[in-house]
Amino acid sequence: MMPLMSNLYTAEAVATGGRAGKTRSTDGRMDLDLSVPAAIGGDDGPGTNPEQLFALGYAACFQGALAVVARRQKIEIPEGSTVTARVGLERAGLAFALNVELVGSFPGLEREQAQALMDATYNVCPYSVATKGNVETTLTVA
């Protein structure tokens, strides 16, 4: 039997209308219209989409985890450092799958040290832990 989880925090959101509908957080902080990108047969309307939302969350989460890993390794993250998440949607037989590229930019940090930091963070970030083995993920340094 699996042990019960003890959440530190739980986010909750409700969606209606699927990819062309709306989504909102139950605490009222986010209320977003959704649109289907033209690349997958949609009208490319002004709303966001699930892949963009995932990319936003993953980039922020990874950069936060990166700060934790850097602190543990006594590495100072340079001012102006960024993490960019590119989330792709691809066909996988009759289903669909995601792929992710995480690009770290660390002005002034040696490339090898930056790549090692990215690699170590991949094992700590909750998004990475959740998707490991399920989503093809590439880590690169700009």
Side-chain angles (χ1 to χ4, degrees), residues 22-42:
K22 292 184 69 64
T23 190
R24 64 177 175 77
S25 61
T26 56
D27 66 5
R29 293 180 185 200
M30 296 180 73
D31 190 348
L32 302 169
D33 292 326
L34 301 172
S35 297
V36 180
I40 59 172

Side-chain angles (χ1 to χ4, degrees), residues 9-22:
Y9 171 74
T10 300
E12 184 176 272
V14 176
T16 57
R19 284 183 164 272
K22 292 184 69 64

Side-chain angles (χ1 to χ4, degrees), residues 54-102:
F54 190 78
L56 288 165
Y58 205 158
C61 188
F62 198 88
Q63 189 167 37
L66 194 130
V68 170
V69 170
R71 200 168 31 255
R72 288 177 184 166
Q73 295 182 5
K74 301 194 182 342
I75 297 170
E76 186 160 337
I77 301 294
E79 181 86 18
S81 294
T82 61
V83 172
T84 301
R86 297 182 180 120
V87 176
L89 179 67
E90 61 184 331
R91 291 196 186 276
L94 297 177
F96 296 91
L98 298 176
N99 59 69
V100 174
E101 180 184 14
L102 296 171

Side-chain angles (χ1 to χ4, degrees), residues 95-120:
F96 296 91
L98 298 176
N99 59 69
V100 174
E101 180 184 14
L102 296 171
V103 181
S105 175
F106 309 97
L109 201 62
E110 292 293 324
R111 178 173 286 283
E112 296 78 24
Q113 187 177 35
Q115 187 66 55
L117 190 58
M118 293 279 291
D119 294 342

